[in-house]
Amino acid sequence: MADMMWAGRFSKQVDAGVNAFNSSIAFDGRMYRHDIQGSIAHATMLGDCGIISKEDSLTIIEGLKGILADIDSGKLELDPNAEDIHMFIEAELTKRLGDVGKRLHTSRSRNDQVAVDIRLYLRDEIKEIYALVKELAVTLVNMAIQHTETIMPGYTHLQRAQPITFAHHLMAYVWMLIRDLERLEDTSKRMNYCPLGSGALAGTTYKTNRKQTSDLLGFTAPMPNSLDGVSDRDFCVELGCALSLIMTHLSRFSEEIIMWCSWEFKFVELDDAFATGSSIMPQKKNPDVTELIRGKTGRVNGDLVTLLSMLKGLPLAYNKDMQEDKEAIFDAVDNVKLCVKTFIPMLSTMRVLKDNMRNAAAKGFINATDCADYLVKKGMPFRDAYKITGTLVAQCIEKGVTLETLPIADYKAMTDLFNQDVYEAISLDTCVRERKSEGGPSPDAVKEQISLAQKALKL
Ligand code: ARG
């Protein structure tokens, strides 16, 4: 086992089991680019402030760039026995540059180094997730444009309630995703402060320039408190929340698609490329993608709970517990990207079975509210109209007919306010067309919200 960089005060080498237990390179190795980016900014500042010579600063920067190129090309492999990515890169630099390499860590601790690395890493990941979630929202808007006239039942308690359109239903998810995008932007903004220069916890005695490293790395400003600088992981929790909500939205939608694929609904049919068969039942076509998304939501929620539980008892400032932040937030990030990437093509290739949606909307007395509203518009108080309609529905059930096919005589027997025009008032098309209140399902109202969403998505 190699000597540790901090070996000075120790008389023995670390136990091999403890070394493996302690090591984080298996999961923090993925931050090598960001670690080098942070180190280049730090070395630049050290040189400009005269803390190390300009020449050493330039040599270190060139050395770091060489390491980056070699890891990128696969020429240099990460050593699985290294304690973490920070130690690995510094050791490699020293191997290449000798004493000059040993000057890089002046006025810095791994505590502010790792805090900067995660921020830089997550900043890039958030950009990718933002683009994916936006692409999903745009896919849904484009589907909605095709379906402003596609009538389907709207549900409460999973009971047919009132008629809506498929476009209206899809747009509900678009608004959830728009809020997700806002949350990602917000998290990114609040996270974008630079901990570098906080040192181990109590700053440094060197005359550093924290604004310079912050500017070089594209942060808004240095973090104002060195203790908070090294011990803050709020941004991991915030991002974890934002990711959990994205998954929650995908999961609710997945649950609906799973139901819609069943013979009981048959509102949609997945493309064969996005469904799977059974090893025993030849007739099966299973919506595995959506089930996995629903399942992985539990896992991403678990990541969030891991982060919250890890932080809740930690005294200031850095504690090794915080190394546990990475696997949790990386897992959440990886899974959200995977799910959104798979969901988009699955949705856009899904066949919408309009007739089945319409037939389902034609059953279940979905127009009963409209029948009551017909009477209200003729002057009857709503509660009375509600009661009469309820009685009519009960008569229909008994006779095995619908409100559309119940004879006018039965209507008139309840009140003279009913005329032949009731059939037009309770037809499915009228029920949808007339729900033109702001945010409602009528084709015109949905077109309005589509253009609002397009504006929000900057399309
Ligand atoms: N691998 C560590 C982590 O992820 C880096 C910081 C180590 N700091 C320390 N004082 N041991 O948190």
Side-chain angles (χ1 to χ4, degrees):
M1 186 188 26
D3 274 343
M4 299 317 232
M5 280 196 197
W6 35 255
R9 67 99 75 205
F10 290 82
S11 56
K12 281 187 185 171
Q13 292 200 333
V14 171
D15 174 85
V18 169
N19 191 48
F21 180 68
N22 211 25
S23 172
S24 54
I25 194 158
F27 49 87
D28 65 21
R30 61 161 83 190
M31 302 194 301
Y32 73 88
R33 278 196 196 94
H34 305 88
D35 190 74
I36 291 175
Q37 191 188 354
S39 289
I40 289 177
H42 182 65
T44 308
M45 183 279 291
L46 291 178
D48 287 354
C49 292
I51 297 168
I52 62 173
S53 73
K54 225 19 205 228
E55 202 191 331
D56 284 352
S57 160
L58 291 175
T59 309
I60 289 173
I61 293 167
E62 282 318 302
L64 287 167
K65 285 184 182 164
I67 294 174
L68 176 61
D70 290 349
I71 303 178
D72 273 345
S73 69
K75 212 165 117 192
L76 175 63
E77 278 179 25
L78 305 187
D79 173 6
N81 293 314
E83 193 178 338
D84 54 31
I85 188 63
H86 326 294
M87 289 303 208
F88 172 76
I89 288 171
E90 195 186 330
E92 180 63 27
L93 189 73
T94 305
K95 202 154 99 191
R96 293 183 181 199
L97 304 183
D99 282 351
V100 178
K102 296 184 194 161
R103 295 191 188 278
L104 169 64
H105 211 54
T106 314
S107 183
R108 185 178 73 167
S109 155
R110 267 185 301 161
N111 298 351
D112 55 350
Q113 186 178 356
V114 70
V116 109
D117 290 5
I118 322 172
R119 284 164 194 263
L120 292 173
Y121 181 85
L122 292 180
R123 191 168 73 185
D124 284 350
E125 292 294 316
I126 290 176
K127 278 186 203 141
E128 259 187 63
I129 296 172
Y130 187 96
L132 282 169
V133 173
K134 182 168 171 178
E135 190 186 332
L136 173 57
V138 173
T139 305
L140 292 177
V141 168
N142 290 335
M143 284 168 77
I145 291 170
Q146 309 297 313
H147 288 287
T148 52
E149 312 272 348
T150 306
I151 292 177
M152 70 181 282
Y155 296 83
T156 62
H157 313 274
L158 203 52
Q159 302 284 320
R160 288 173 192 153
Q162 290 175 344
I164 57 169
T165 64
F166 190 49
H168 192 51
H169 198 104
L170 293 171
M171 288 306 294
Y173 284 102
V174 171
W175 292 109
M176 295 177 222
L177 296 173
I178 288 173
R179 291 195 295 274
D180 287 330
L181 290 173
E182 287 171 3
R183 257 186 292 275
L184 289 174
E185 258 176 334
D186 203 38
T187 304
S188 218
K189 236 191 259 164
R190 217 182 340 272
M191 180 177 85
N192 204 35
Y193 288 84
C194 188
L196 208 56
S198 298
L201 74 160
T204 172
T205 54
Y206 296 96
K207 288 223 166 328
T208 51
N209 182 349
R210 290 194 61 204
K211 181 167 169 14
Q212 184 185 3
T213 39
S214 169
D215 288 348
L216 283 172
L217 295 170
F219 286 108
T220 309
M223 290 180 73
N225 181 304
S226 65
L227 293 175
D228 187 43
V230 291
S231 65
D232 168 39
R233 292 293 183 276
D234 291 359
F235 58 96
C236 293
V237 174
E238 270 194 66
L239 179 59
C241 283
L243 297 177
S244 266
L245 270 169
I246 292 173
M247 288 304 294
T248 301
H249 297 149
L250 297 193
S251 185
R252 292 182 75 176
F253 201 176
S254 291
E255 167 64 14
E256 294 195 311
I257 293 170
I258 293 163
M259 286 193 301
W260 293 346
C261 284
S262 72
W263 283 104
E264 283 69 17
F265 278 82
K266 266 288 167 245
F267 285 0
V268 295
E269 165 115 34
L270 295 180
D271 190 88
D272 279 358
F274 290 90
T276 47
S278 153
S279 59
I280 172 171
M281 297 166 281
Q283 85 283 13
K284 289 298 279 302
K285 182 169 175 185
N286 296 330
D288 284 23
V289 168
T290 39
E291 289 168 45
L292 264 177
I293 291 174
R294 194 176 55 184
K296 283 176 188 290
T297 303
R299 165 184 185 148
V300 173
N301 290 349
D303 292 329
L304 172 61
V305 174
T306 298
L307 289 164
L308 285 166
S309 319
M310 180 274 285
L311 278 177
K312 84 183 232 327
L314 293 189
L316 296 183
Y318 177 84
N319 300 270
K320 189 77 173 209
D321 315 44
M322 293 166 92
Q323 180 166 287
E324 292 287 310
D325 59 359
K326 283 164 222 67
E327 278 171 295
I329 195 66
F330 294 167
D331 183 74
V333 159
D334 292 348
N335 279 288
V336 167
K337 288 202 298 192
L338 197 62
C339 289
V340 181
K341 266 185 210 161
T342 319
F343 202 47
I344 294 171
M346 190 211 71
L347 278 177
S348 50
T349 54
M350 180 175 85
R351 213 151 57 86
V352 179
L353 305 176
K354 293 186 196 184
D355 289 346
N356 292 354
M357 287 185 175
R358 194 186 166 97
N359 290 340
K363 291 180 209 144
F365 304 99
I366 211 161
N367 49 1
T369 317
D370 302 83
C371 180
D373 287 342
Y374 169 89
L375 293 175
V376 170
K377 283 170 191 159
K378 300 217 162 177
M380 185 178 280
F382 178 74
R383 274 291 156 234
D384 296 337
Y386 173 97
K387 207 165 176 185
I388 287 178
T389 307
T391 312
L392 286 169
V393 167
Q395 285 176 14
C396 286
I397 292 170
E398 202 174 309
K399 293 185 177 175
V401 295
T402 62
L403 284 171
E404 291 92 322
T405 51
L406 185 73
I408 190 68
D410 291 310
Y411 279 102
K412 283 204 172 289
M414 296 300 296
T415 163
D416 261 349
L417 291 176
F418 278 122
N419 281 313
Q420 199 61 36
D421 60 355
V422 67
Y423 296 108
E424 166 59 19
I426 61 168
S427 87
L428 257 188
D429 292 296
T430 313
C431 294
V432 173
R433 197 181 54 240
E434 290 307 310
R435 294 196 134 67
K436 48 190 170 206
S437 54
E438 193 178 330
S442 84
D444 286 345
V446 172
K447 280 177 197 153
E448 280 288 310
Q449 60 159 312
I450 288 176
S451 60
L452 280 179
Q454 286 170 325
K455 240 180 255 157
L457 291 166
K458 299 173 196 102
L459 299 180

